[in-house]
Amino acid sequence: MTEKKWWKESVVYQIYPRSFYDSNQDGIGDLKGIIQKLDYFVDLGVDVIWICPMYQSPNDDNGYDISDYQSIMEEFGTMEDFDRLLDEAHDRGLKVILDLVLNHTSDEHQWFIESRSAKDHPKRDWYIWRDQPNNWESIFGGSAWEYDDKTGQYYLHIFSKKQPDLNWENEEVRHNLYDMVNWWLDKGIDGFRIDAISHIKKTDGLPDAQNPEGKPYAPAWEHMMNVDGIHDFLEELNQQTFSNYDIMTVAEANGVGTEDIHQWVGQSGKFNMVFQFEHLALWDGESNKDLNIIELKETLTRWQKTLERDGWNALFIENHDIPRVTSTWGNDSNYWRESATALGAMYFFMKGTPFIYQGQEIGMTNSEFKQIGEFNDVRTINHYYLKKQEGYNHEEIMAILNKTSRDHSRTPMQWNNQDHAGFSQTSPWLKVNDNYEWLNVEKQQNDEGSVLSFYKKMIKLRRQYDVFIYGQYELQMADHPTIFSYTREYEGVRMLIVTNLSEQPAVMDSFDIDKLLLSNDSDASSNVLNPYEARVYKLK
Ligand code: GLC
Ligand code: CA
């Protein structure tokens, strides 16, 4: 029997603060902006908000490069604003979780400034310094090593060169991080999303990566992702921090699979749940790999089944690192509303805690970026120049980036059809998507058939029926090429979710139906599903 927990019964809303709401008209979202929109979350029905990094940062990677863990980015406000946000959220029954970046800091963090100052500085060993670089490639492209003139050595950065990796082998580093984590927990926050945590352990000796193509740098996943020995660190982290509080923890765990997930979550785990990456790889805009529904069913069902008795899933189809799902997996022109809602229903009723990324609940789509200067994301810009070196021309690169860039999910939230989509009264830091005039919160707020109303109904259903939280998952119609369907069952109540994830009509099997609870189509009476039709039934 699954143990009951508040974090299992919650729906989480992810906020990218820079793009959410600008309260002081400088074109940048901020904490007061979030405070002003707290009632929006209450109206939507979510239980928890996750705020992407809002700590002091020079913003090389929009806050994921932290220069002071215990203060707030000036553009976002002050610690007083944060305390008020926390209080006002709690007053409304909302919980707040923060992003926790432990793999690296900014190169402008005091620790790194000291570390780089001299080879014999006591903090030298807090980061990873070598006389010679190995051949590892950074996740953001190029070498993972940066030469530092001052002392004539290289430091390791598996993300941008302004994000030097902390040396987790150093005990002092770990204990300083734990103190910081506990400081936030003692403030009364409700948990963390733990960034890039599967990268904290590197293979001893930092050996070169396999490099069959003989390139200057090679992907070094086997040496810096989910490396043997990582669980000693995670266990200690959990013991010294999380396990002493009743909080929600969700780890970003690239490279963790169903084979080893039980070391991460459940009885012998260190987190409540993880963001696994497998389903994200099923679509790839760069190599033109389209989503295959059979593969999607196989992948998500394997995660459901693996964590059936022990552990818990984090359910998500969008975040700030991937393009908009309605544009990639769905169809953002002819079947915009249908695909936005069908994809929502597909994942939302699985067993686990659903996460909604800001704007997903109104079906926001990819933007069109016409010039390289319109992009902001460090990874996107790095890719542009690396592709140039590889011989691609400008148009070819822009076509790729228009499919893959992380900036698609970071365009300002579309609140209404006024200038700058109601996000700000001034030009925002990143261009608003042109479709804000018809695609915005205000337009959908009072429309029963809107994507937003559909999300509200899904959230209500989860709240109304325990079976959507604790019920057993079974895949149905496993071999159907376009229908993703499953049942949930708990204490004698059975539900059926059916979604047609294609542009062709599809025929569903017959089931013993009691009643229809939710549909994204005006007519759900026959067994033929329209393109991207989604239905939720109670079974007899
Ligand atoms: C995670 C974040 C991403 C960030 C990276 C480095 O993957 O989600 O936005 O760039 O870690 O911190
Ligand atoms: Ca602002």
Side-chain angles (χ1 to χ4, degrees):
M1 231 307 225
T2 319
E3 201 190 343
K4 295 202 170 180
K5 291 279 184 198
W6 66 265
W7 44 265
K8 295 180 178 172
E9 299 175 8
S10 296
V11 175
V12 186
Y13 188 97
Q14 181 190 352
I15 299 173
Y16 198 70
R18 218 175 174 70
S19 310
F20 191 62
Y21 189 60
D22 176 18
S23 74
N24 63 347
Q25 316 314 330
D26 63 355
I28 297 170
D30 44 58
L31 296 184
K32 284 202 175 110
I34 300 175
I35 297 176
Q36 288 176 29
K37 293 292 183 187
L38 284 172
D39 289 328
Y40 177 72
F41 306 124
V42 175
D43 183 56
L44 184 59
V46 299
D47 310 275
V48 179
I49 54 175
W50 149 26
I51 308 175
C52 284
M54 74 300 143
Y55 315 97
Q56 186 180 301
S57 162
N59 272 312
D60 182 60
D61 187 19
N62 284 346
Y64 283 94
D65 49 319
I66 297 171
S67 53
D68 184 351
Y69 286 105
Q70 275 150 277
S71 61
I72 302 292
M73 193 190 301
E74 253 169 66
E75 292 166 328
F76 288 174
T78 62
M79 193 58 84
E80 270 184 347
D81 295 336
F82 178 81
D83 292 340
R84 217 187 98 212
L85 167 56
L86 187 61
D87 283 348
E88 293 218 12
H90 284 165
D91 287 348
R92 288 168 174 80
L94 291 165
K95 293 192 154 69
V96 179
I97 70 172
L98 298 183
D99 225 297
L100 184 60
V101 185
L102 299 177
N103 178 68
H104 46 269
T105 66
S106 162
D107 64 339
E108 297 181 34
H109 194 291
Q110 185 60 30
W111 297 346
F112 189 74
I113 294 173
E114 289 178 35
S115 180
R116 96 187 320 174
S117 67
K119 275 187 176 173
D120 58 1
H121 191 283
K123 288 208 176 66
R124 184 64 167 186
D125 185 49
W126 284 35
Y127 294 83
I128 301 167
W129 293 94
R130 290 290 181 275
D131 288 331
Q132 287 302 320
N134 63 20
N135 70 352
W136 294 3
E137 184 179 68
S138 146
I139 294 174
F140 288 170
S143 170
W145 294 88
E146 183 72 7
Y147 181 71
D148 197 45
D149 267 343
K150 178 101 203 264
T151 51
Q153 282 194 317
Y154 295 78
Y155 65 85
L156 178 71
H157 62 87
I158 66 168
F159 293 97
S160 101
K161 62 180 182 213
K162 284 185 68 63
Q163 294 170 302
D165 283 56
L166 283 160
N167 180 13
W168 269 74
E169 307 291 340
N170 181 305
E171 198 180 327
E172 260 184 297
V173 167
R174 301 200 303 273
H175 286 279
N176 271 276
L177 290 172
Y178 305 154
D179 287 348
M180 176 275 290
V181 171
N182 289 328
W183 183 85
W184 279 103
L185 289 171
D186 290 337
K187 231 180 202 310
I189 65 158
D190 304 289
F192 290 110
R193 174 266 190 186
I194 304 106
D195 184 71
I197 195 69
S198 57
H199 299 295
I200 58 173
K201 172 82 184 176
K202 280 82 179 173
T203 306
D204 287 343
L206 313 180
D208 272 340
Q210 304 235 357
N211 189 9
E213 291 168 50
K215 292 191 173 168
Y217 337 103
W221 300 110
E222 72 272 30
H223 297 308
M224 46 91 135
M225 182 174 74
N226 200 12
V227 169
D228 277 354
I230 192 171
H231 288 284
D232 296 338
F233 292 156
L234 299 179
E235 180 61 32
E236 186 186 79
L237 166 66
N238 184 39
Q239 284 310 320
Q240 304 270 331
T241 63
F242 310 146
S243 67
N244 306 315
Y245 299 82
D246 176 24
I247 54 168
M248 169 185 281
T249 55
V250 50
E252 188 197 28
N254 196 4
V256 175
T258 44
E259 5 28 273
D260 57 340
I261 188 60
H262 286 114
Q263 288 180 269
W264 289 75
V265 303
Q267 255 148 43
S268 353
K270 293 95 189 172
F271 304 99
N272 296 153
M273 50 197 143
V274 308
F275 291 125
Q276 55 87 13
F277 274 51
E278 276 190 66
H279 60 308
L280 301 182
L282 301 177
W283 178 94
D284 180 358
E286 189 162 344
S287 61
N288 279 316
K289 183 181 191 312
D290 275 331
L291 181 71
N292 175 315
I293 306 303
I294 296 274
E295 278 176 6
L296 181 68
K297 294 200 273 190
E298 188 279 323
T299 305
L300 294 182
T301 301
R302 180 159 39 77
W303 278 91
Q304 288 286 305
K305 285 296 169 192
T306 306
L307 297 181
E308 187 159 62
R309 269 175 208 91
D310 182 30
W312 194 251
N313 273 287
L315 311 172
F316 75 103
I317 51 173
E318 281 201 6
N319 64 36
H320 63 293
D321 290 330
I322 49 177
R324 292 289 183 177
V325 75
T326 307
S327 300
T328 56
W329 292 7
N331 177 330
D332 61 12
S333 49
N334 297 344
Y335 298 105
W336 164 71
R337 191 192 59 84
E338 293 83 349
S339 61
T341 45
L343 289 165
M346 178 274 292
Y347 88 102
F348 209 84
F349 295 105
M350 289 185 185
K351 190 169 180 181
T353 299
F355 287 71
I356 301 171
Y357 177 66
Q358 76 182 34
Q360 177 189 331
E361 78 281 18
I362 55 169
M364 277 178 65
T365 67
N366 283 357
S367 263
E368 198 190 336
F369 295 90
K370 298 194 183 79
Q371 292 147 23
I372 178 69
E374 289 179 351
F375 288 111
N376 166 277
D377 168 32
V378 56
R379 190 177 77 183
T380 305
I381 294 166
N382 280 358
H383 274 181
Y384 182 88
Y385 292 104
L386 290 166
K387 290 268 161 218
K388 270 237 145 127
Q389 283 171 19
E390 286 174 29
Y392 288 79
N393 69 36
H394 174 78
E395 285 69 32
E396 288 167 338
I397 307 174
M398 288 303 285
I400 294 174
L401 298 183
N402 262 300
K403 286 188 144 189
T404 57
S405 174
R406 303 196 295 181
D407 281 330
H408 285 300
S409 51
R410 300 175 179 188
T411 62
M413 181 71 183
Q414 293 166 208
W415 292 105
N416 58 41
N417 64 3
Q418 289 156 32
D419 285 352
H420 315 300
F423 161 75
S424 174
Q425 286 160 29
T426 187
S427 255
W429 67 280
L430 185 67
K431 184 176 89 98
V432 173
N433 191 318
D434 292 334
N435 63 16
Y436 74 93
E437 288 187 20
W438 62 267
L439 199 172
N440 60 64
V441 171
E442 197 175 276
K443 181 129 196 277
Q444 297 188 26
Q445 200 72 268
N446 298 312
D447 172 1
E448 264 301 290
S450 67
V451 181
L452 181 59
S453 297
F454 192 83
Y455 266 88
K456 286 187 195 171
K457 289 176 200 161
M458 292 202 295
I459 295 167
K460 244 196 204 132
L461 280 177
R462 260 186 67 97
R463 200 181 295 286
Q464 199 178 341
Y465 295 99
D466 266 4
V467 56
F468 289 126
I469 296 159
Y470 295 110
Q472 169 149 336
Y473 167 102
E474 286 308 333
L475 184 68
Q476 303 294 330
M477 304 178 62
D479 300 327
H480 196 288
T482 69
I483 291 182
F484 197 147
S485 171
Y486 53 92
T487 47
R488 299 290 306 279
E489 181 166 6
Y490 185 63
E491 296 181 339
V493 182
R494 283 186 82 206
M495 300 292 187
L496 171 72
I497 292 85
V498 205
T499 58
N500 174 17
L501 302 182
S502 80
E503 290 161 28
Q504 270 73 51
V507 180
M508 62 179 273
D509 290 356
S510 49
F511 291 85
D512 218 356
I513 285 161
D514 177 6
K515 62 179 178 203
L516 181 72
L517 297 178
L518 178 65
S519 147
N520 66 351
D521 196 285
S522 52
D523 178 14
S525 57
S526 89
N527 62 346
V528 181
L529 302 174
N530 282 324
Y532 290 106
E533 185 167 347
R535 301 178 188 173
V536 179
Y537 290 107
K538 188 166 180 297
L539 296 179
K540 279 186 189 141

